[in-house]
Amino acid sequence: MSDMTDEEIVRAVRGMAAMQAEREKLAERVSALRNAVSPEDLAERNRFGEAMAKMDTKILLESIEVLGRIGMTLASQACYAVARKEGLATH
């Protein structure tokens, strides 16, 4: 069972939701630049794409910890397996 208080769980979930919302904004920007042709637009699309990839990594790694802390061990292990497959797991 979870060793987190209800308040800690709510904060963790809200933090994850905020990261997901930020990731969605980045994805929208990348999508809007899908047909970019100018060097400036291509550079901007690449910047947003890289930021989105970093956010994906942050969400995945945070999910491992948060899910484990709230007692969702199987979900945490599934995220860890993905992170390990992608070379992101540190232990």
Side-chain angles (χ1 to χ4, degrees):
M1 195 51 89
S2 172
D3 62 346
M4 295 176 73
T5 67
D6 289 348
E7 288 177 11
E8 291 171 325
I9 292 170
V10 168
R11 268 195 306 275
V13 170
R14 284 183 178 156
M16 295 296 296
M19 285 189 284
Q20 183 61 35
E22 184 177 337
R23 192 249 182 237
E24 288 173 11
K25 288 179 186 175
L26 293 167
E28 287 173 10
R29 197 68 185 118
V30 169
S31 182
L33 293 164
R34 180 175 301 150
N35 298 319
V37 292
S38 75
E40 296 83 12
D41 286 348
L42 289 170
E44 185 176 10
R45 184 183 67 192
N46 288 340
R47 279 193 305 277
F48 281 107
E50 288 174 15
M52 190 175 74
K54 286 179 184 178
M55 184 56 69
D56 285 341
T57 298
K58 184 176 179 180
I59 290 169
L60 177 61
L61 296 177
E62 186 73 16
S63 294
I64 294 167
E65 180 176 336
V66 170
L67 290 168
R69 288 180 61 206
I70 64 174
M72 298 183 71
T73 307
L74 188 57
S76 177
Q77 290 172 346
C79 290
Y80 178 77
V82 171
R84 188 178 59 215
K85 184 177 180 181
E86 294 183 10
L88 302 171
T90 58
H91 58 284

